[in-house]
Amino acid sequence: MTFFLCCSTSITHSQETKYLSKDSTSLRKAIRLIERNEPYHFFYNSTIIDGRKRVFLKPYSNIRELLDGLFKDSTVGYRILDNTIVLFREDKSQLPNTMEESLWTVRFRIFDGLSNEPLLGALVQSENKRISGVSNHEGTLSISFYSEKDELPLNVRYLGYRSIDTLISLSKVSKSISLALIPETFELSEVIVNARVKKNLKEVNAQKNAINQIQVLASDTKDRLPDQNMGEALQRMTGTTIGRSYGEGNTVAIRGTPISYTTIQYNGENLPTTEIDGRRNTIVAGIGVDQSENVQVIKTKTPDTDGDAIGGSVNLIPVFSLSKELALKAELGSGYNNLSKGYNLTGMLTLEKRYLVNEKYPEGRLGIKVGGNYYRTDNGRDRLEIDWDRKTLSDGNQSILINNYNWRDLQNERTRSGYNTSIDYKLRGNGRLYAHLMYNNLTDDEIRNRIRYRPLQGNYVNATRVDDARVERDLRDRRKIRKNTSVNLGIDSYIGNWKFDASFFYTMTDRTDESIRATFEFEDVDLLLSEVNTDYPKVNGAMVDLDDVSLYTLESIRPSDLRSVTGENLVFRMDFKKPINTFFGKGELQTGLKYRKLKNGRQRWVSIYENSSSDPLNLSTTSISVPDNDFMQGNLNFDSRIDTGTLVDYFNENQTEFSVNQNRSARVISEFFTRAEEDIMAAYAMATFKGRSWDVLTGLRLEKNRGTYRANEVVTNNDGSPVINPIVSQKEYTIPLPNFQVKYELSERSQARFALTNGFTRPEYNSVSPSRVIDIEDREVFLGNPNLNPTRSINLDLAYEYYLGDIGYVSASGFYKRITDFIYQIDRTVVGDEWENADNFIDYELTSFENGEYANLWGLELTAQTRLNFLPGFLKYFSVSGNISLTHSEAVAERGEVFRLPGQAQNFGNMILSYNKKGFSAGLAFNYIDDFVFSIGNTREEDFLFDSRYQIDANISQNIGKHFKIYAEGINLSDQPLRGFFGSDQRVSELEVYSWWVRFGIGYKF
């Protein structure tokens, strides 16, 4: 049975006598006739009120006189609430007599009364506020509760819309109630202006009405800012920072914490990594902004969600079909990249429709939505890499000097394609079946030419001269393919008083890197270094011209170097909910079980050929002289590049001059191998309670992790021969995660939050791997640490929020995290107790991972956004939003002194200025992130940090009629590089230049 309620403005009636019909008719037809002629809508339960009963419409002068005559001598009663007429049976014997009989489950659908769009984040609550719920992205919600009465007064609130009060009549059978809300300003001219504002309202209302602290990013945010992938879009949110690759958003961190403290999820389940460096969370560069209905940034976790996220989680909510008519959205665009001097192409298409629409399922019983996106660009980067180390000079003094110095010229063609499908089918009794599929493919076809100056192979005479060093020029022509396929199947249903949710989730990620690699070298060369403490150190030969390509001969070639990373996440989960009555008030009890199987593995296949000819190939034969005077923004000149085609042809025609170095090939293959399998069991129980002005959540989650990790010990002798031994390690731990959160409503527009929660982060795969790589010739050791403990955190959050009535709000959120066993990378020398037989390698350069003792992290997040519609003239069409996060950390580890938590940025924020008038919009965005520590050395002088960075983006668009839109976008207009340094900002360690690029295109929607 379905209830319908709509809102309309009240109208004054005349007192003249009216006639609707002189003949008898059915009650149902009589109600329709009254609704057509009077400004009222009826609200009734069709299983209690018999619409087939014959009635007679008598002449009347007012609505009460008409209704009194209509229901005379019947058991039907009525009440008039504003413009709504509520019908009910006056026979009280129909009402339940016991509390057990009075369990009600009511389903609501909240939508915009003008556009029929579903409203995300609408608050439905009883008059005493003890029964409440919040609508999802479909605009629907189900509320289960106990009541001894057959009537329930309800209030529906949504910022920017008129609140409504209504009275519903209850039944034991489930009900579906459709509620239409009207914007506070709904004149025609303002409706056009507010079309874009409605997108902000969804985000603001969902954030306001959630019991925990979240932010919501609607998928149509892409219409307002030039964001092509999910990372670019997420950087606009409070407390969120991104890492970049090829100039595009690549990784995400929340609240300035290391990226390992943030999880990326699809419908609440973690997406596994595709990265060779062994991190757990996936990159977001391959996910288009169109591939989720909205995105939740969750800052205070609840017991029903995975606890392995100290910073927070980014949860991609799958798309759903919301339109009863066939809806199509398409976009086609192009652009230009200044660094590569190349063009880009972008396209997007979505189709959706709901089927089986009837009176019982007015929004449609079956929904299908499919979509796809495509993006291709010629991008790249100019990059410098400098490895610094403490060196002893010929006079016995020590100084931090350049160990290796690399110039990288990279040209890349990036292609991203994505596909998503969502199907849902509504069951009887408010149940639902659903299936989601998301597929992404991110392919990079890159050609990297590199010049490597290697003082490491020589001897420092003084701070500016190195004798007997080596210079290399190498090529890597690589295709890098990252794929992710995620499938989610589930059911929502009811078993007695319990709501039952069960789901199956499987995701597989795969990365393959296939490359051709070749190295030309010039040995025993004396080098002169100058301008060492600038961003662009210079290197020259003491006696030769290093740009003379005839000095370099072919050292090795890898005609096929294939690396593979695979990851899997298999999940089964069950959740149960039921309404409860307690001393504290009405609430909900929720419990659940979950099993996860995580797999991650790396493999490599390569044969390294060395030139055995007495007359090896000269670089001048295969190089192309293409002087690049714009390399590193014109500060350096990359004079020539290796041509892949010429090199491969030479190898194929002269294979007898090459031989496979079996030792070297085996060493490289064995060093790369790792494999991890983890079984994770979780159980939780939580309860929520609703008071007149407060919401309370409390609960406990337990997670048990059992992991098996495999790798190799590889010891490379002076003659290059490796000794290889497999290593297996296991780790098991159980973590309790208590949780307590309160939201207190100070007024209708202001509220405060408090949360005391616990979280943890599992060690990254590369750090917990038992891998042990020892190079005797170079005196270097890489050591995994299978004894690492998970990082744990106790989190305290306080927040105040004030909402201005439409899209405007201001908020202040303070947080504190007490972090123990944080994991950090160490770069020091071997002391002899790190592993068995380590005393044989004392003073070797060691890279490994350790648990720190503890860290304290404080932060303050300030956010404000509003429309400037109180200003005169054209200024009223502007909107402004801004956020800033101020953080501070103190960490204590092995070296004893207090330092910043690795990966923590102190200050970061965004500012967005936009202009919207009718079909025209424009936006200017500013993003800033402070410097942060990446890894810890023996002393502060040896810490590796990334420098602060800001970026300016802009966009402009114009609607053409009802269906078309043209747009133009500019990205990184500030032309900001990525800069890292070693200990001091006068020792640059990484410098990466992307330049700016633009896009333009046309969109179509109906």
Side-chain angles (χ1 to χ4, degrees), residues 440-541:
N440 296 295
N441 184 313
L442 182 66
T443 300
D444 288 309
D445 289 303
E446 61 181 35
I447 299 177
R448 187 213 65 196
N449 275 268
R450 178 172 61 176
I451 302 175
R452 305 181 72 187
Y453 303 101
R454 309 201 70 183
L456 170 67
Q457 307 299 325
N459 301 299
Y460 265 97
V461 177
N462 54 50
T464 60
R465 182 181 177 112
V466 186
D467 287 349
D468 301 324
R470 187 165 72 198
V471 181
E472 299 174 356
R473 289 176 177 253
D474 63 24
L475 165 77
R476 184 183 67 197
D477 191 330
R478 176 172 69 171
R479 165 165 280 199
K480 182 169 54 180
I481 303 174
R482 299 181 180 96
K483 296 179 181 179
N484 175 276
T485 303
S486 298
V487 179
N488 185 203
L489 306 175
I491 180 173
D492 302 338
S493 188
Y494 287 85
I495 301 176
N497 296 343
W498 291 88
K499 181 181 180 183
F500 169 69
D501 300 337
S503 67
F504 162 81
F505 180 85
Y506 177 75
T507 183
M508 182 178 71
T509 59
D510 176 75
R511 168 174 168 164
T512 56
D513 289 9
E514 186 168 12
S515 62
I516 300 169
R517 305 183 70 171
T519 300
F520 292 79
E521 65 180 16
F522 177 26
E523 295 186 295
D524 301 325
V525 58
D526 299 337
L527 302 178
L528 298 177
L529 287 73
S530 60
E531 303 180 36
V532 173
N533 296 121
T534 69
D535 284 357
Y536 307 99
K538 305 294 192 299
V539 182
N540 293 289

Side-chain angles (χ1 to χ4, degrees), residues 280-295:
R280 285 182 178 269
N281 56 343
T282 190
I283 65 170
V284 289
I287 305 174
V289 292
D290 322 275
Q291 291 191 271
S292 65
E293 195 65 35
N294 59 69
V295 182

Side-chain angles (χ1 to χ4, degrees), residues 26-33 44 50-53 359:
S26 69
L27 177 60
R28 183 181 295 110
K29 290 182 179 179
I31 288 174
R32 292 175 182 171
L33 192 61
Y44 66 98
D50 185 4
R52 297 169 299 178
K53 182 180 179 180
E359 183 177 349

Side-chain angles (χ1 to χ4, degrees), residues 636-647:
L636 297 171
N637 180 34
F638 206 114
D639 62 301
S640 60
R641 295 166 178 81
I642 301 171
D643 180 63
T644 304
T646 305
L647 181 69

Side-chain angles (χ1 to χ4, degrees), residues 611-645:
N611 198 329
S612 56
S613 170
S614 59
D615 184 22
L617 178 66
N618 191 279
L619 179 58
S620 60
T621 306
T622 62
S623 67
I624 301 175
S625 179
V626 186
D628 185 359
N629 295 319
D630 291 330
F631 182 70
M632 298 307 297
Q633 298 178 322
N635 289 282
L636 297 171
N637 180 34
F638 206 114
D639 62 301
S640 60
R641 295 166 178 81
I642 301 171
D643 180 63
T644 304

Side-chain angles (χ1 to χ4, degrees), residues 96 430-431 467 507 525 581 678 734 928:
N430 296 328
D467 287 349
T507 183
V525 58
N581 272 338
E678 294 173 325
T734 301
Y928 173 81

Side-chain angles (χ1 to χ4, degrees), residues 5-235:
L5 176 69
C6 294
C7 300
S8 59
T9 56
S10 58
I11 301 174
T12 303
H13 322 297
S14 64
Q15 297 298 314
E16 61 186 31
T17 301
K18 301 179 184 179
Y19 298 87
L20 294 181
S21 174
K22 295 182 179 180
D23 302 319
S24 68
T25 184
S26 69
L27 177 60
R28 183 181 295 110
K29 290 182 179 179
I31 288 174
R32 292 175 182 171
L33 192 61
I34 295 172
E35 287 182 330
R36 284 199 299 266
N37 290 272
E38 296 291 341
Y40 292 95
H41 296 278
F42 282 82
F43 181 85
Y44 66 98
N45 187 333
S46 59
T47 64
I48 296 177
I49 307 300
D50 185 4
R52 297 169 299 178
K53 182 180 179 180
R54 306 303 293 182
V55 295
F56 184 77
L57 291 169
K58 299 179 180 180
Y60 67 100
S61 59
N62 58 63
I63 191 66
R64 289 190 179 276
E65 183 178 343
L66 174 62
L67 297 176
D68 289 341
L70 186 64
F71 300 122
K72 185 178 180 181
D73 300 326
S74 75
T75 60
V76 177
Y78 71 88
R79 289 183 183 174
I80 301 177
L81 302 174
D82 295 329
N83 299 92
T84 301
I85 300 172
V86 181
L87 304 184
F88 55 89
R89 288 191 66 170
E90 294 186 312
D91 184 0
K92 303 301 181 182
S93 65
Q94 300 294 326
L95 299 180
N97 296 317
T98 68
M99 178 63 73
E100 183 63 30
E101 292 178 328
S102 303
L103 173 65
W104 313 101
T105 298
V106 185
R107 186 172 186 271
F108 297 88
R109 175 176 175 261
I110 317 298
F111 62 97
D112 185 303
L114 299 179
S115 66
N116 205 38
E117 296 177 8
L119 297 179
L120 166 68
L123 176 64
V124 179
Q125 61 182 1
S126 61
E127 187 177 47
N128 61 11
K129 300 184 179 180
R130 294 182 180 272
I131 300 171
S132 68
V134 179
S135 62
N136 61 20
H137 58 276
E138 294 180 281
T140 63
L141 70 150
S142 294
I143 303 178
S144 296
F145 55 92
Y146 288 104
S147 177
E148 294 180 328
K149 300 180 180 180
D150 71 322
E151 296 178 337
L152 180 67
L154 284 179
N155 171 261
V156 185
R157 286 190 291 171
Y158 196 75
L159 288 174
Y161 284 70
R162 295 177 179 177
S163 297
I164 60 173
D165 295 290
T166 185
L167 183 70
I168 64 171
S169 180
L170 302 173
S171 166
K172 288 187 179 181
V173 186
S174 300
K175 309 163 203 51
S176 179
I177 302 176
S178 293
L179 304 171
L181 303 185
I182 304 299
E184 289 181 340
T185 304
F186 64 94
E187 289 81 2
L188 181 59
S189 60
E190 292 297 323
V191 170
I192 298 174
V193 174
N194 286 343
R196 189 174 298 273
V197 173
K198 291 178 184 177
K199 302 169 185 178
N200 297 83
L201 287 171
K202 294 179 182 179
E203 302 169 3
V204 173
N205 279 279
Q207 171 184 310
K208 177 179 184 293
N209 293 322
I211 193 170
N212 59 323
Q213 193 170 346
I214 67 170
Q215 282 186 283
V216 177
L217 179 71
S219 62
D220 44 31
T221 296
K222 186 177 81 71
D223 294 339
R224 304 194 298 274
L225 291 165
D227 300 328
Q228 279 293 316
N229 70 42
M230 196 60 69
E232 294 291 322
L234 286 166
Q235 71 172 322

